[in-house]
Amino acid sequence: MTNAPDAPKTIVLTDEERDSGVMGDKKLYDAIEAFFTDGLVVVENAIDVAIIDKLNRRMLQDTDKLLRGEGEVHFNHLNTNAGTKGAAAGGNLSQVPPLEKEWLFPEVYANKHGARIVSNILGPRPEVHFIRSNTLLATDERQHVHADIRFEHPEHPFAVAFNTCLIDVGPENGTTELWLGTQNTNLTCHREVGEPFISDKSLEERRAVRPPIYPRLKKGSIVLRDLRLWHAGMPNPTDETRIMLAIVYYASWYKNGVVTPMPESLRPTIEALEEHSQIKIATQWVPDEGYNYLNIKFSNNFSSTLTPWVWEAIQHVKTVKGY
């Protein structure tokens, strides 16, 4: 008898659970257990696909704008040939989703299932300090295996990435390579302090214990990932752009300092989202006049304002200014 292939734990919600915002107690138990064991859990059927399809169509319009240079264009500098071909060759465009009232769906930006799991892991009223997406264009390049945290950090959960892909994904169109169970490693596994990349020695040692996986994810699923988990973007040889929302929750005690600029007119909408799922969305209120969310600059400062020296200590590293 052969063992089943490794895969992330997937919690499948019924339509009733999805729409009510309340999953069964055992499903919540299993989700939290999987997160602490693997550093990641998938919740399937967490968002109505009609909402996902609508958002995907809208965001693809913005993708075209960014590729025409209309906005702050940032490609992640993690592809294997970034040094010779440039970051754009990796096809990983960091894109801000439409921060407009009609597009801020509670099912996405204040998803009750995601918020409930995260709150049970990080504590009450987790804080959103990062609202962007990874838009994977057609590319034959992959990323280096990396962790999003590149500085001295707590060795227990303090931040959770909430991801949802706007199309079905699998190995054929750029599903993320995941190294389950690596969330409890630390900077000794990196090539050097300040770099996100995992050393070849650490990769081979981990591969012998638990090799990476390439999961299939249905649209409407959410993925909750410990921000410390090793992972890597993969090639997308298709002509279909794959957008994956990335909303990062932090524990309220951690005090990350990044805020998302939002127009004053969105204040009631954001406050309603916060109340909907008992979360906080860290915002910088700015005038409506001249506001364009596509001009929001990328920040990879995931450190705590309580320990500013950990960020200051890596400023000499070339990629810190924006990978």
Side-chain angles (χ1 to χ4, degrees), residues 161-311:
F162 171 108
N163 295 130
T164 185
C165 292
L166 303 189
I167 60 173
D168 293 335
V169 297
E172 67 280 355
N173 66 341
T175 194
T176 303
E177 178 181 283
L178 300 172
W179 293 70
L180 298 181
T182 57
Q183 73 277 10
N184 293 318
T185 56
N186 56 40
L187 293 180
T188 60
C189 295
H190 289 229
R191 293 183 187 177
E192 65 175 282
V193 174
E195 285 284 9
F197 309 130
I198 307 302
S199 71
D200 291 342
K201 178 177 181 292
S202 297
L203 289 174
E204 292 315 305
E205 288 176 351
R206 184 61 188 175
R207 191 185 303 275
V209 175
R210 193 175 186 185
I213 62 167
Y214 307 86
R216 291 193 175 280
L217 300 170
K218 296 180 180 179
K219 62 181 175 180
S221 301
I222 62 175
V223 180
L224 299 175
R225 172 177 61 82
D226 191 311
L227 207 60
R228 301 168 298 158
L229 192 80
W230 302 357
H231 60 286
M234 299 302 290
N236 176 14
T238 75
D239 293 328
E240 186 174 24
T241 298
R242 185 231 65 194
I243 298 174
M244 179 177 70
L245 288 180
I247 301 169
V248 180
Y249 288 86
Y250 290 84
S252 61
W253 52 261
Y254 183 75
K255 306 302 182 190
N256 179 255
V258 177
V259 293
T260 300
M262 301 238 192
E264 278 284 354
S265 60
L266 277 184
R267 192 185 290 264
T269 302
I270 296 302
E271 290 175 349
L273 291 173
E274 293 176 323
E275 181 63 26
H276 181 76
S277 289
Q278 295 300 296
I279 61 175
K280 176 184 175 181
I281 299 175
T283 55
Q284 175 191 11
W285 299 113
V286 298
D288 282 57
E289 185 177 357
Y291 177 80
N292 182 351
Y293 56 86
L294 292 180
N295 288 331
I296 296 176
K297 293 184 180 299
F298 177 84
S299 172
N300 62 3
N301 187 350
F302 302 139
S303 67
S304 169
T305 57
L306 303 176
T307 58
W309 55 87
V310 304
W311 188 248

Side-chain angles (χ1 to χ4, degrees), residues 17-22 46 51 104-116 119 125 249 268-281:
E17 287 174 317
R18 180 196 66 204
D19 296 338
S20 70
V22 180
I51 293 173
L104 289 171
F105 302 106
E107 296 89 345
V108 176
Y109 296 98
N111 183 273
K112 286 191 172 183
H113 302 293
R116 187 180 179 200
S119 295
R125 294 192 76 88
Y249 288 86
T269 302
I270 296 302
E271 290 175 349
L273 291 173
E274 293 176 323
E275 181 63 26
H276 181 76
S277 289
Q278 295 300 296
I279 61 175
K280 176 184 175 181
I281 299 175

Side-chain angles (χ1 to χ4, degrees), residues 92-166:
N92 282 274
L93 175 67
S94 182
Q95 177 177 338
V96 178
L99 300 179
E100 297 171 344
K101 181 179 179 179
E102 64 267 36
W103 298 103
L104 289 171
F105 302 106
E107 296 89 345
V108 176
Y109 296 98
N111 183 273
K112 286 191 172 183
H113 302 293
R116 187 180 179 200
I117 295 169
V118 171
S119 295
N120 275 279
I121 293 167
L122 299 181
R125 294 192 76 88
E127 301 180 355
V128 173
H129 288 269
F130 186 94
I131 304 175
R132 299 188 74 93
S133 68
N134 177 292
T135 297
L136 182 60
L137 310 174
T139 179
D140 59 0
E141 291 207 25
R142 61 161 291 153
Q143 292 181 342
H144 293 287
V145 180
H146 63 279
D148 290 333
I149 306 300
R150 53 171 65 199
F151 48 83
E152 185 180 349
H153 57 78
E155 296 193 10
H156 52 78
F158 60 90
V160 178
F162 171 108
N163 295 130
T164 185
C165 292
L166 303 189

